[in-house]
Amino acid sequence: DIPGPQAVTRHYEQMWHAYGSMWHGIVPWVATHIFHVTGRAATYFPTGSGDTTLQYINNLLYLVAALAGTLIWTVLDRRRTDYRTLHGWLRLLVRYTLAFTLFGYGFAKVFPLQFRPPYFSRLMEPYGEFSPMGALWWFMGASIPYIIFSGAAEVLAGLLLLFRRTTSLGAMVTVAVIGNVVALNFCYDVPVKLYSTNLLLMAVFLLAPDLRRLINVLVLNRPAAAADLPAPVFQRRRMRIGALVFGVLFAGTTLVEHVVGGWHAYRESYINPKHPPLYGLYDVESAGDNWRKVAIDFPGRMTVRLNNDQVQNVAVDYGGGDVMTLNKTETLHWSRPDADHVVLEGAARTIRLRRVDTSKFLLLSRGFHWINESPLNR
């Protein structure tokens, strides 16, 4: 019997889990016994960083395993003169892996989801308190057209990599696009340095066979011969047709999923967003605890900046009607005496808030100008 799609998916997940478990056993052992790493750095823990100690050791072990495999293979198969077919399969794997990765990052920008316009809590934060990564993230988010442009460049690179004849052009576009990403990650301390560098090296690998031709054309002004385009060869016509159909369906399904998923996420985030009842940025006119500003971006959280410039993140639970609970301890009733004010009343205090018109922030209101008689740089 031929296994169904669910069975194939289940077996694939089991194999991937077993592969991951193997490395999760090897890497901490190497970290502890060879590099003498101790404490939290020697364990796996939830993190948004891709540049942890174990990730660096993992990449080193990949390199060691590759070099060892290359040496052993070279000795055992030293009489073979070339690996043209195997090289074609390897390039195909690298091309599609890199292309689909670019689609993931690219469509997350074409539909501006990876970077967002600055939240209210960021608008009330002094620039000097931003981390380098935070400065980069909100610099990108301040211009949705630039986010879309950078995403379109990544999608273009991915599309070019899908076809053998445009692989070199796609690799050049990828080197330019991902090279910029790598520079930003290193210069703004974004913890995706290892991963982005590996993507850049994949693009360099695809471009390497054309380096001499590119130097002849771009530097030496010499003619260049046609490129050699190695590819997996199927002897049977049925296999060639099947491979073509599979490739079209595989790539097409991936693109459709990214477009449909991106559009739904964009609609939920920008067109029909779910905001809390008191969504907005407020100046505090009167309150206890030295509150100065309040930002309400998300349903379950409120950011409060105190008079001494300290920041408090307050958990908010909205009950029925006009009831809200702060940090699961203080119950307040909120009301709007007019369009510009919100009043929070509780047993121990009354807080009066005045809405800030964020559309007047220069960062959000400046916009685009074809003509500038003088620069506005402040």
Side-chain angles (χ1 to χ4, degrees):
D1 295 337
I2 299 176
Q6 293 182 349
V8 173
T9 301
R10 184 172 63 255
H11 292 319
Y12 172 79
E13 290 176 349
Q14 291 173 350
M15 292 174 57
W16 186 252
H17 177 73
Y19 177 78
S21 298
M22 177 190 72
W23 284 108
H24 277 215
I26 295 174
V27 174
W29 186 92
V30 172
T32 302
H33 292 85
I34 296 180
F35 292 99
H36 306 293
V37 178
T38 59
R40 192 166 185 245
T43 62
Y44 286 102
F45 55 92
T47 174
S49 172
D51 294 336
T52 62
T53 301
L54 294 186
Q55 288 289 354
Y56 275 95
I57 294 175
N58 201 353
N59 273 258
L60 176 62
L61 292 180
Y62 286 158
L63 179 60
V64 170
L67 292 174
T70 300
L71 179 61
I72 294 171
W73 195 331
T74 301
V75 172
L76 295 179
D77 201 21
R78 56 186 177 276
R79 295 185 179 180
R80 185 185 294 269
T81 58
D82 67 79
Y83 292 93
R84 181 177 176 81
T85 300
L86 185 60
H87 179 62
W89 280 106
L90 177 60
R91 284 181 63 85
L92 179 67
L93 176 62
V94 173
R95 278 170 47 208
Y96 273 69
T97 300
L98 188 54
F100 293 144
T101 303
L102 287 166
F103 290 153
Y105 281 105
F107 281 109
K109 298 181 184 72
V110 170
F111 302 99
L113 302 169
Q114 182 181 4
F115 303 101
R116 305 291 183 91
Y119 298 136
F120 298 134
S121 55
R122 286 295 189 177
L123 292 175
M124 71 175 184
E125 182 177 350
Y127 188 70
E129 295 182 6
F130 281 48
S131 68
M133 179 178 174
L136 170 63
W137 230 251
W138 302 108
F139 145 73
M140 290 290 295
S143 176
I144 288 181
Y146 183 73
I147 300 173
I148 296 173
F149 168 78
S150 60
E154 292 175 341
V155 171
L156 173 62
L159 290 173
L160 292 171
L161 289 174
L162 292 179
F163 307 97
R164 279 192 306 137
R165 294 182 182 277
T166 57
T167 295
S168 297
L169 179 58
M172 286 190 287
V173 175
T174 303
V175 166
V177 171
I178 299 299
N180 181 60
V181 172
V182 170
L184 291 173
N185 288 342
F186 274 87
C187 297
Y188 286 85
D189 196 31
V190 181
V192 199
K193 304 176 188 70
L194 276 173
Y195 186 57
S196 59
T197 299
N198 285 334
L199 295 178
L200 178 60
L201 291 175
M202 292 168 69
V204 171
F205 166 78
L206 293 174
L207 192 59
D210 292 312
L211 288 179
R212 179 175 296 179
R213 299 174 60 250
L214 291 173
I215 292 174
N216 282 335
V217 173
L218 300 177
V219 179
L220 302 178
N221 196 29
R222 295 174 180 173
D228 183 18
L229 301 175
V233 178
F234 297 100
Q235 300 299 329
R236 296 182 180 181
R237 183 171 179 269
R238 182 180 301 177
M239 292 293 294
R240 293 196 296 271
I241 295 175
L244 176 62
V245 172
F246 174 79
V248 171
L249 291 178
F250 187 52
T253 301
T254 301
L255 288 171
V256 170
E257 288 178 349
H258 280 301
V259 172
V260 173
W263 169 247
H264 283 300
Y266 175 82
R267 187 170 58 186
E268 292 176 0
S269 299
Y270 290 91
I271 300 177
N272 299 310
K274 295 180 181 179
H275 292 316
L278 301 180
Y279 178 76
L281 177 62
Y282 301 89
D283 285 324
V284 180
E285 292 188 339
S286 62
D289 299 333
N290 296 317
W291 286 18
R292 181 157 60 90
K293 287 183 178 292
V294 174
I296 303 177
D297 293 294
F298 307 104
R301 191 182 74 195
M302 154 192 310
T303 303
V304 178
R305 182 166 288 273
L306 306 180
N307 286 327
N308 61 4
D309 270 341
Q310 290 185 350
V311 175
Q312 293 181 348
N313 289 316
V314 180
V316 181
D317 181 23
Y318 293 94
D322 62 350
V323 178
M324 61 189 299
T325 304
L326 306 185
N327 290 329
K328 298 183 179 181
T329 57
E330 182 181 9
T331 299
L332 301 172
H333 293 268
W334 60 270
S335 61
R336 297 182 186 274
D338 56 62
D340 294 326
H341 289 87
V342 171
V343 176
L344 310 178
E345 295 182 283
R349 59 176 175 167
T350 297
I351 305 169
R352 184 176 176 84
L353 309 176
R354 177 171 54 82
R355 179 183 290 274
V356 176
D357 186 358
T358 56
S359 66
K360 295 182 180 179
F361 276 74
L362 184 60
L363 180 65
L364 304 180
S365 63
R366 171 60 178 170
F368 172 79
H369 299 79
W370 283 108
I371 298 174
N372 289 277
E373 302 299 348
S374 58
L376 182 59
N377 182 15
R378 68 184 196 198

